Amino acid sequence: MAMSDDLKAIEEQVKEGLAKVSDPKELDSLRVKTLGRKGSLTALMHMMGQVPADQRPAMGKLANTVRANVEAAIMERGTELAKQAMAKRMNAEAADITLPGRRLSPGTQHLISQIREEIEDVFAGLGYTVEDGPFIEDVYHNFTALNAPENHPSRSASDTFYVVDNAPEGKGDLGLSASDLLLRTQTSGVQVHVMEKQQPPIYMICPGTVFRPDTADANHLPQFTQVEGLVVDEGITFGDLKGTLDYFTREIFGKDRATRYRPHFFPFTEPSCEVDVSCGVCGGKGCRFCKGTGWLEILGCGMVDPNVFQYVGIDPEKYTGFAFGIGVERVAALRYDLPDLRALMTGDMRFLRQF
């Protein structure tokens, strides 16, 4: 009967041990200690041969029952520990599904794109077409056909990004030829392309990116957006130019803004002028923003020089026209009183979200 007492004692020890087990590692240690090859229950069952023959069946049955009870208790405790671990993990990783989710901020157009589209809308409303052209232009379309002489400063490498220079030495004052390629310094070349392909009447604008080797500062950028316009038709006068640009400035800056035209020089227009708009900060009285003048320069314009028409095969005796160029970044700066154009290029969302 000593073996039966030992079997019952092992079963009780296992029950007490299971009550103290708190993790799977401790549970496995108790299982090996009891049911392993060198475990207490395994060792006791190996002594079954020492039991008298007449007691062996009953003792064997008791041993198997104890082993089954121990295995079932260990398995049950393992299931409990797994459930406890899952509950603990779920509590640690729980999410309150009643809270509102994080919403993505809706994107908006960049300020430059907004103003460019506004300008396009103004002129589209007047019946103008919106034309496009290549970023890489040749010297002929960028300068020559626009009546810029070969010794004009804008053709120099300090004012233009040249891509390929195929000119032989001594060709022209600056050693340039019409086969030279460059990053366009103005979108005026698109006007030449359109006039080469289309006979008047022409009412068009050509918005796009232009490139000049300027050092970035508060008032200059090496890459900026320009909108140039061209009108060619019979009987076009400076009065048509003035009326068009007066309408444009009031649509962009406000109905109460005045305009001023100052004589200037551009190779492709004659006469030429620069256009100012009254300062929106001081109402034209003079302040720090307008440097005390009451006026802000916004664009250049003029009547198309007859030489330009001759380059593209348009009869200057029959047709006249005007052209203008608008810097979109400058319009943005003047419209929103921006002190530094570089702020438009930084990608700082704190700045850009204001528009």
Side-chain angles (χ1 to χ4, degrees), residues 45 54 131 134 145-146 166 169 210 250 324 336 342 350:
M45 294 183 73
D54 59 336
E131 307 292 343
L146 292 167
N166 295 323
E169 278 192 40
V210 298
R250 292 190 178 100
F324 54 87
Y336 294 106
R342 289 171 294 187
R350 296 171 299 177

Side-chain angles (χ1 to χ4, degrees), residues 195 200-203 230-234 236 309 314 319-322:
M195 288 189 288
I202 298 172
Y203 293 81
L230 173 70
V231 170
V232 183
D233 205 346
E234 295 185 43
I236 298 297
F309 287 148
I314 292 177
Y319 295 104
T320 55
F322 63 80

